[in-house]
Each structure stands twice: as structure tokens, then as C-alpha cells.
Amino acid sequence: IKMDEIKKFAVFGNPISHSLSPMIHKEFAKEQNLNIQYKAIEPESDDFETHAQSFFSKKGIGANVTIPFKDQAYNFADEKDEVSTICQCSNTLWYDDGKIKAFNTDGQGFINDLKKKNIIMRDMKILILGTGGSARSIINTLSSEDIKSISILSRSQDNVDKIIGKFDKRKKISHYSDSDSYGLVINTTPISMTNSEIPFPESIINNNTISYDLFYSRKQTRFQEWSLNRGASQALDGIGMLINQAALSYEIWNKFSPDTERVEQLIRSL
């Protein structure tokens, strides 16, 4: 194989060594018989742009971007899609036609995963923990689904107010209230990656609640465990969303829609 036939991709994040993205994208590429290189790149916190510049100048085609660089990826791009613009952050970059274009596939990846897991969101009250990039992307996509309401719980009331202000035309987004009972609780905070006490009110989970942690680990995440201990009917991790948002990125770059369910089974069997 001539070197120039290998398409180059990468994921940027910090920390990134445990990322499943290289494996996911290589599995997608197998389905398409495509020869790809997919690297994990870990810039220092203020160094994203230098690394991204370098990657794209060396014939990089596409990059996934994870915490803490989604806002920087958005600012780095020449053109932004509508979702990135609404959320002010991007998880996908594509070098196309001499320009770097930014996309945000997080929210749609999340919804696709719920649908594949047959979770019916109709008339559901949903609670989002956190206000970062993933939270904004998920709120944006959820708010056009046929749900009852979205509440947001965060240490920063100010950030919650900003999000409510941004989406207030859609009218069903508000601050968390402890008198509410939620059908779906989505953790977008990195609490599962730390050893600190889980600070959320116990009342957010009851036996009709499905909990969903955007993070994942080899065993159950700390938030999954915490939810099940409080009687959640189901506690999901973030692998499904990770694979589904990756598939949407892959499709942007390679015009091919991969089989996400096969890849999810494969990863869960490891």
C-alpha cells in the first residue's frame, strides 16, 4: 500500500490514553475496506491549536475532539455547522476544500443511542447534570424531541441561566426542582472519573428512572453504581453514545454509515 492511500484521522483530548475512539474508527473503516491511521493526541490545556494545526498541515483529514478542547475546536474552525454554532463547541473537525469545518455530533449521537436501546422519550421529564459542551449539545437535540421537559442541575446557576436563555424559545427548559420526578437523568459531569463524593440529591433517582452516564469504564461507572443503589430501573454508560457520535463523524469524513450495533457488541465483549 502506498503511504498516500492511508487516510489520517485523530482524536484530541486530555487525558486521552484510555480512549476507545481509535479502535471504534478502525472497526468502522474495516466495514468500508478503508485503510486509515487514527491517532490519539494529548495536548497540554493551552496547546490545542498548535497540535491541531500540525495535524491538519500533515494531511490530516478529520479529528474527533473531546474534553477539554471542544470550545477550542469550535474557535479553531473556519466554518461551523448549525449545532456547533448553537452550542459554541464542536467535537468533530473536517478538512474539506481547503477549509477546516466544525460539527457537533454529540447530541444526535446520544439520541441515536437511546433510540437503538428502545428508550421512549415521549412525554418524559429529563434531568441534565452539568452545563458543559456535551450538556449543551444534548439539550439542543433533546429540545426538539417530543419530551415533556428538561431540567438542569449545576453548581453554577449562572451557566444554567445562560442555557435557559439560549433555548428559551423552546419553553420546556428550567432549573432543577426537588419536587420533580424524572424519567431520565443524564450525567454529563466528570464525577465518575474522580474519587470525590457524588454530590447530587438522592431524590433525583427513583425506581422509574433511567440513568445515563456519559462516561464509561471497564466495569460500571461510579454514577451507574450510585444510581442503581438508589433504585434506578436502568443505568447506562456512555459507550453507546460514544460509538454513535463517532459514526456520525465517520460519515461526515467518509460518506459511509457504519454499523454501530456490531461495534458496540464487540467493545462490550472485550
Side-chain angles (χ1 to χ4, degrees):
I1 292 161
K2 298 208 298 295
M3 276 314 280
D4 60 6
E5 288 175 20
I6 296 182
K7 293 176 98 174
K8 285 183 173 178
F9 301 98
V11 58
F12 290 88
N14 191 336
I16 202 64
S17 59
H18 291 77
S19 174
L20 294 171
S21 294
M23 184 179 145
I24 291 168
H25 282 275
K26 282 171 187 159
E27 283 301 321
F28 291 165
K30 277 183 202 167
E31 293 176 21
Q32 202 183 2
N33 286 325
L34 196 65
N35 192 8
I36 70 166
Q37 177 195 65
Y38 189 104
K39 290 206 302 217
I41 300 173
E42 187 172 284
E44 290 303 304
S45 56
D46 50 0
D47 222 16
F48 170 76
E49 202 154 310
T50 319
H51 284 269
Q53 203 76 60
S54 158
F55 169 75
F56 285 110
S57 70
K58 293 175 186 150
K59 293 203 165 72
I61 291 171
N64 293 113
V65 182
T66 184
I67 48 176
F69 300 119
K70 292 181 190 184
D71 300 12
Q72 283 164 274
Y74 171 79
N75 293 324
F76 176 74
D78 305 309
E79 289 178 6
K80 291 103 162 140
D81 78 330
E82 189 189 354
V83 185
S84 297
T85 307
I86 292 170
C87 304
Q88 301 278 298
C89 62
S90 305
N91 70 335
T92 304
L93 296 173
W94 180 35
Y95 184 75
D96 175 47
D97 219 8
K99 290 194 174 73
I100 290 175
K101 301 178 178 177
F103 303 83
N104 192 314
T105 66
D106 277 333
Q108 195 55 53
F110 175 78
I111 298 283
N112 291 355
D113 184 46
L114 290 189
K115 289 181 174 165
K116 282 172 187 167
K117 293 187 164 64
N118 298 314
I119 290 168
I120 316 284
M121 288 169 285
R122 208 191 157 85
D123 293 334
M124 204 181 238
K125 285 188 174 180
I126 297 173
L127 176 65
I128 310 247
L129 307 171
T131 53
S134 303
R136 298 196 297 268
S137 183
I138 287 171
I139 289 165
N140 174 60
T141 314
L142 272 178
S143 59
S144 48
E145 292 285 322
D146 193 9
I147 57 170
K148 188 165 232 164
S149 63
I150 297 171
S151 306
I152 309 169
L153 176 60
S154 163
R155 280 180 308 207
S156 162
Q157 296 301 322
D158 205 28
N159 287 351
V160 178
D161 288 334
K162 276 190 190 130
I163 290 180
I164 292 171
K166 192 184 281 285
F167 294 106
D168 68 347
K169 292 174 204 57
R170 306 183 193 175
K171 286 293 175 258
K172 40 187 167 183
I173 303 178
S174 60
H175 280 268
Y176 159 76
S177 141
D178 57 16
S179 58
D180 263 339
S181 163
Y182 299 100
L184 177 63
V185 174
I186 305 159
N187 173 42
T188 72
T189 76
I191 192 75
S192 288
M193 294 169 78
T194 67
N195 288 319
S196 52
E197 196 67 22
I198 290 190
F200 310 125
E202 305 209 353
S203 60
I204 63 176
I205 304 281
N206 62 50
N207 53 12
N208 297 315
T209 310
I210 297 168
S211 92
Y212 193 114
D213 192 355
L214 261 47
F215 292 83
Y216 55 87
S217 59
R218 285 268 168 246
K219 44 187 196 336
Q220 278 184 341
T221 69
R222 294 184 58 232
F223 183 72
Q224 277 179 291
E225 223 167 276
W226 183 88
S227 304
L228 290 168
N229 286 340
R230 279 150 194 79
S233 65
Q234 232 180 317
L236 304 168
D237 65 17
I239 287 178
M241 173 181 168
L242 177 74
I243 293 169
N244 280 283
Q245 64 76 29
L248 294 167
S249 302
Y250 189 91
E251 198 173 333
I252 289 166
W253 304 327
N254 300 307
K255 310 286 176 274
F256 175 84
S257 178
D259 180 352
T260 55
E261 288 168 62
R262 177 190 73 84
V263 176
E264 181 166 351
Q265 277 176 338
L266 175 78
I267 283 179
R268 293 198 186 277
S269 68
L270 294 175

